[in-house]
Every structure is written in structure tokens, then in C-alpha cells.
Amino acid sequence: CPRGLETALADELKEIAGNSPTLKVHQSVPGGVHCSGRLQDGWLINLHSRIASRVLLRIAQSSYRNEEDIYRLTVKQAWEKWFGGENTLRIDVTAIKSPLKSLNFTTLRIKDGVVDRFRSETGSRPSINTHAPDIRIAGFLDAHNVTLYLDTSGEALFKRGWRLETGDAPLRENLAAGLLRTSGWKPGIPLLDPMCGSGTILIEAAQIMQGIPPGFKRTFSFEKFLHFDKAEWQALKDAVRI
């Protein structure tokens, strides 16, 4: 989530967890909140969270000294259980205080690990598409550890699916939702935005009042996962009362 909205996101996740007996909310960290549950709980968060930027599924974590340690961790993971060689792929790496000199080379070694794993297990390999990939893998490095995530969201969650055009400096929808929550506004309280621009804050407020989930009109990466249960996902959406 955007930095500074971790507490707001944690509160929102606790509300979402009220609809799932398996979703548990744990500690907040800079830029996010740890939670656990079934894979379908990730679907639920993608559908209902107004504040999250992405829902990342942790696949592996380990200490590292160099890029080859990261490659070895990547190639050991059973990526073929999550997606197929026919899917397109994008790798994104971020780091805080990492001793490695090139994030581009680290990204390349993660890509090599995924591709080599597919070649050895299936004989095929996913191709890279940086613009509109089916599957996204995220790597995060700190000074000592690397964590690999499978991105269940795809496009960032502030992209609700209804905005066709943007102005010169659009306010991201999840930041607008975070501002509403931290301001203490709730449905039924009059809301005035004297500098509304394209009306992002007001539109978010209107959707909250109408009970429209932010992910209702968009698609997600988890829909491309192997063994995705389309009927169960549709049932989650059908349960929404608008």
C-alpha cells in the first residue's frame, strides 16, 4: 500500500476478514501488511480492498550473498504448479540497502531461474512481456534477505477498471480511499471536496456508499493461475449486493 496507509490497510483487512474464517491479519511493515489464509482469501482482498496497491503471495524467502544465491532460490521453486509455459511473464525487483550493485542483473537471474525451472520440469518456457504480462513475479531485497512473491493482482489495484482517461496529475484511487478512511469520513456524513479535479475522492466515496467493490469491474492475475476455479470466483462476486 502507499507508505503511511499501513494502519488504514490493516483496519480494512480486518473488516474484510469478517467475511472469511481463514483470513488472519498480522503485523504491519513499511508499505504493507502481512496476512495469511487460503488462496481464495487473496481473491477476496483483491475484490474488496480499496487501499492495497497489490496482493502478493509469498513463495520463498532466504538469505543471500550474491545474485547466484538468488538464482538458486528461484530455480528451486515449483513455478510450474502456478502457471504454464504458455503464459507471459514479467519480473520486478525492488531493494532497500541491498549490497548488490545491479538490480537489472538480479532481475535477469530471477528470470533465468524461472525459465530454467520450466525447461527442466516441462520442456517449455514462458516468454517475457513487460507491458501486459499474464503473470508477474516480484522480488524484494533487503540487506540480508531476498523474498520472492507471486503477484495475484496483475495491474496495480488503484486501477479500478472504470477510468478511461486521466488528467495531467491524477490522484490514485487507493490513495483517495486511504484519505477518506484516515479523515474519519463515513457514508451518511456530508462530504465536500473543494479541489476535486476529476473527482477521484468523490467517486471513491460514492462507490463506498453504494457498496461497489473496487475490483468488481476488472480482471486479476490470479485468473490466469493453473487450477483457477472460475465458478468459485463468480460466486464471490455474485455475493456482492449492489
Side-chain angles (χ1 to χ4, degrees):
C1 67
R3 292 293 180 104
L5 291 181
E6 296 89 351
T7 299
L9 175 59
D11 291 341
E12 181 188 58
L13 289 174
K14 290 173 185 176
E15 293 173 4
I16 295 172
N19 297 314
S20 170
T22 53
L23 177 58
K24 307 298 180 186
V25 182
H26 305 296
Q27 77 273 21
S28 299
V29 295
V33 178
H34 286 297
C35 56
S36 62
R38 301 167 63 233
L39 183 61
Q40 288 81 353
D41 290 323
W43 303 356
L44 201 64
I45 297 170
N46 274 296
L47 178 62
H48 288 286
S49 177
R50 298 185 180 278
I51 298 173
S53 299
R54 295 184 179 278
V55 182
L56 302 177
L57 174 64
R58 186 168 65 187
I59 299 296
Q61 187 176 52
S62 175
S63 60
Y64 73 97
R65 291 174 299 175
N66 52 46
E67 292 87 353
E68 295 314 300
D69 290 337
I70 296 173
Y71 168 83
R72 284 189 288 270
L73 177 67
T74 306
V75 81
K76 288 194 301 185
Q77 307 311 311
W79 303 106
E80 70 280 0
K81 292 183 179 179
W82 292 100
F83 57 94
E86 72 279 3
N87 291 122
T88 56
L89 182 67
R90 171 174 172 154
I91 314 289
D92 292 289
V93 175
T94 56
I96 296 178
K97 298 181 179 179
S98 171
L100 301 184
K101 298 191 181 337
S102 172
L103 289 187
N104 287 336
F105 184 57
T106 303
T107 302
L108 179 63
R109 293 307 282 153
I110 293 175
K111 184 270 293 181
D112 290 343
V114 176
V115 167
D116 290 349
R117 171 75 187 199
F118 264 92
R119 282 178 175 149
S120 66
E121 297 295 322
T122 71
S124 63
R125 56 151 292 177
S127 58
I128 300 300
N129 183 334
T130 58
H131 298 292
D134 297 326
I135 303 294
R136 295 172 184 251
I137 293 173
F140 175 73
L141 312 175
D142 63 19
H144 306 289
N145 297 297
V146 54
T147 309
L148 299 177
Y149 299 95
L150 196 55
D151 186 343
T152 70
S153 303
E155 290 272 23
L157 293 180
F158 74 83
K159 297 182 179 181
R160 310 294 204 213
W162 56 262
R163 188 188 293 277
L164 301 180
E165 298 181 4
T166 61
D168 292 334
L171 177 67
R172 290 186 173 183
E173 286 77 357
N174 63 331
L175 181 55
L179 291 173
L180 284 167
R181 180 174 281 266
T182 55
S183 75
W185 177 85
K186 294 185 182 299
I189 299 175
L191 178 64
L192 173 65
D193 183 1
M195 298 174 287
C196 70
S198 60
T200 304
I201 292 175
L202 299 178
I203 292 169
E204 282 295 309
Q207 291 195 329
I208 292 170
M209 288 187 66
Q210 294 297 314
I212 301 173
F216 198 71
K217 293 187 177 181
R218 55 162 285 166
T219 59
F220 301 95
S221 273
F222 64 74
E223 297 177 63
K224 300 288 181 68
F225 289 178
L226 294 177
H227 314 301
F228 167 67
D229 191 329
K230 186 176 181 180
E232 187 173 359
W233 169 234
Q234 189 60 49
L236 275 180
K237 295 179 74 174
D238 290 343
V240 175
R241 306 289 184 184
I242 298 179

